[in-house]
Amino acid sequence: MVQILAGVAALVMAASLPVAAQVAPERPGIPGNPSQTGYASAMAKEAQGWLADLIRINTSNPPGNEQIAAMYIAGILAKEGIKAEILDLMPGRSAVVARLRSAAMADPSKALLLVAHLDTVPVDKSRWSVDPFGAVVKDGYLYGRGAIDDKGMLAANLAVFISLKRSMAHLNRDVIFLATADEETGGDASIRMLIAKHWEKIAAGYAINEGGNVFLKNGKVQYTGVQASEKVAFNVAVIARGTSGHASQPTKDNPVVHLAAAVAKIGNYSAPVHLTAIVKRYFEGLAPLEDDEIGKWIRSMDSADRGEHAQRVISDASPLWNAMLRDTIAPTVLTAGVANNVIPAEARANLNVRLLPGDTIDVVLNELKKLVNDPQVRLELQPNAGLAAPPSSLESDFYAVISKVVTQEFGGAPALPFQSTWLTDSAQLRLHNVQAYGLVPFPLAQEDLRRMHGDDERIPLAAFDKGVEVLAKIVTEFAVAH
Ligand SMILES: [Zn+2]
């Protein structure tokens, strides 16, 4: 108890720092049992201060500059008597790792990794109604770049990790805190490099990371999507070539025209539906949660006679569902032209392709070549192609714990296995046999989810508090000896 009180004293001192003070805990001196809701919510209040501080540290990627955020976190851990290690990956770009041991000899196959990334996507400041790095609190929301993606989870992981230490929990497995860099561009400071250089520091059998969400519908949790797999990203250049010349005498081989025609065909293309095992389970669980009409079409998706129509209805109902059912191809960048009165020799487009795990890019490329059917246009796969990872098991003990806790905590709304259309660090972990699950534990409405990577990103503080509590329960149930 003495140590716990000392921990709380450190906590009170930390809260007196100016930055943390804005959203500091109201009732310091809470008993140190993480299974008690009061403690968890005091932790959450403190974590709000860390989240606000992390938002104020601009880690827009590029360039990232994650080292400053890594040092901030190492400083917080040091105050708790936890020695964190800053792992430098590139100049100014670092990850941070810390470990709570369960025994003198670590068993990596049992260890649990709490993962979040330090970097964020950039902002278009002119489109924000508040300072994106000001951590402004307004109407119960904390605004700022990274509030959801992924500094919210970073602060929640930190809170749960520190609460294990403060409560002197008897762990049945090592718990490793990991904050990664360069997640948003997956470049040379990313988890790929971290694994290549420092695997022994983060080796684990299980991980919890971003990737899945607690989905609110009409103010209630509809379900929790626990990410167990993700799509794989590729970029493909569409290159049209022709003869450059004077714009006053147009020619038939103008590459701008050929590129535009090719992009239009590709934009209208819809790849065939391919239900992966996880997506099948997702829709089976979702059908009874939707209204009768949607539920009926979901159930008909693999029927012989109405299947195709049902797939179309479901794809049209939601861009997310559409992208869960098939490979997608999105034209994203167009480049052509040197002057208004010059026909250029080349015009290019970039296609961002997202494949279902198990599908191959060559098949898609061949399909697109046939579709474009223009000898002046060629398709070229770009470097840094994604690597498909095996899905995490839906039968593991950890998945069972996550499902049980979220179902209890969110009023019986079920956990559904989720295959994200977006990428996370978990793919790299899964490639190293880690059973990684994606769950941003904050219940969020569509209205807030769509602000991720967009303008006025924000997190409801009540959702943040709840998420910290839920994450604490998941980790306690899985890693603390009862
Ligand atoms: Zn993220």
Side-chain angles (χ1 to χ4, degrees), residues 117 119 148-150 183-184 210 423-424 452-453:
H117 60 90
D119 60 320
I148 296 177
D149 183 10
D150 187 29
E183 190 275 339
E184 296 291 356
E210 64 173 352
L423 314 179
T424 71
M452 283 198 310
H453 289 214

Coordinates of all heavy atoms in Angstrom, one line a residue, residues 117 119 148-150 183-184 210 423-424 452-453, ligand 1:
H117 N 0.8 3.8 -32.3 CA 1.8 4.6 -33.0 C 1.9 6.0 -32.6 O 0.8 6.6 -32.2 CB 1.7 4.4 -34.5 CG 0.4 4.8 -35.1 ND1 0.2 6.1 -35.6 CD2 -0.7 4.2 -35.4 CE1 -1.0 6.2 -36.1 NE2 -1.6 5.0 -36.0
D119 N 3.1 8.6 -34.6 CA 3.0 9.6 -35.6 C 1.5 9.7 -36.0 O 0.6 8.9 -35.7 CB 3.8 9.1 -36.9 CG 3.4 7.8 -37.4 OD1 3.1 6.9 -36.6 OD2 3.3 7.6 -38.7
I148 N -8.0 10.4 -32.0 CA -8.4 9.0 -32.2 C -7.3 8.2 -32.7 O -7.0 7.1 -32.2 CB -9.6 8.9 -33.2 CG1 -10.8 9.6 -32.6 CG2 -10.0 7.4 -33.4 CD1 -12.1 9.6 -33.5
D149 N -6.7 8.6 -33.8 CA -5.7 7.9 -34.5 C -4.3 8.4 -34.4 O -3.9 9.3 -35.1 CB -6.1 7.8 -36.0 CG -5.1 6.9 -36.8 OD1 -4.3 6.2 -36.3 OD2 -5.2 7.0 -38.1
D150 N -3.5 8.0 -33.4 CA -3.7 6.8 -32.6 C -3.2 7.2 -31.2 O -2.9 6.4 -30.4 CB -2.9 5.7 -33.2 CG -3.1 4.4 -32.5 OD1 -4.2 4.1 -32.0 OD2 -2.2 3.5 -32.5
E183 N 4.1 4.8 -38.7 CA 3.1 3.9 -39.0 C 2.3 4.4 -40.3 O 1.9 3.6 -41.1 CB 2.1 3.7 -37.9 CG 1.1 2.6 -38.1 CD -0.2 2.9 -38.9 OE1 -0.5 4.2 -39.0 OE2 -0.8 2.1 -39.4
E184 N 2.1 5.7 -40.4 CA 1.3 6.2 -41.4 C 1.9 6.1 -42.8 O 1.2 6.0 -43.8 CB 0.9 7.7 -41.1 CG 0.1 7.9 -39.9 CD -1.4 7.3 -40.0 OE1 -1.7 6.8 -41.1 OE2 -2.1 7.3 -39.0
E210 N -4.4 -0.7 -32.6 CA -5.5 -0.1 -33.3 C -6.0 -1.1 -34.4 O -5.4 -2.2 -34.6 CB -5.1 1.2 -34.0 CG -4.0 0.9 -35.0 CD -3.7 2.2 -35.8 OE1 -4.3 3.2 -35.7 OE2 -2.7 2.1 -36.6
L423 N -4.7 -0.3 -43.2 CA -3.5 -1.0 -42.8 C -3.1 -0.6 -41.4 O -3.3 0.5 -40.9 CB -2.3 -0.7 -43.7 CG -2.5 -0.6 -45.2 CD1 -1.3 -0.2 -45.9 CD2 -3.0 -2.0 -45.7
T424 N -2.5 -1.6 -40.7 CA -2.0 -1.3 -39.3 C -0.6 -2.0 -39.2 O -0.2 -2.8 -40.0 CB -2.9 -1.8 -38.2 OG1 -2.9 -3.2 -38.2 CG2 -4.3 -1.3 -38.4
M452 N -11.1 10.9 -38.6 CA -9.8 10.3 -38.6 C -9.2 10.6 -39.9 O -9.8 10.4 -40.9 CB -9.8 8.8 -38.4 CG -10.0 8.4 -37.0 SD -9.5 6.6 -36.8 CE -10.3 5.8 -38.1
H453 N -8.0 11.1 -40.0 CA -7.3 11.4 -41.2 C -8.0 12.6 -41.9 O -7.6 13.1 -43.0 CB -7.2 10.3 -42.3 CG -6.3 9.2 -41.8 ND1 -5.5 8.4 -42.7 CD2 -5.9 8.7 -40.6 CE1 -4.8 7.5 -42.1 NE2 -5.0 7.7 -40.8
Ligands
ZN1 ZN -3.5 4.7 -37.0

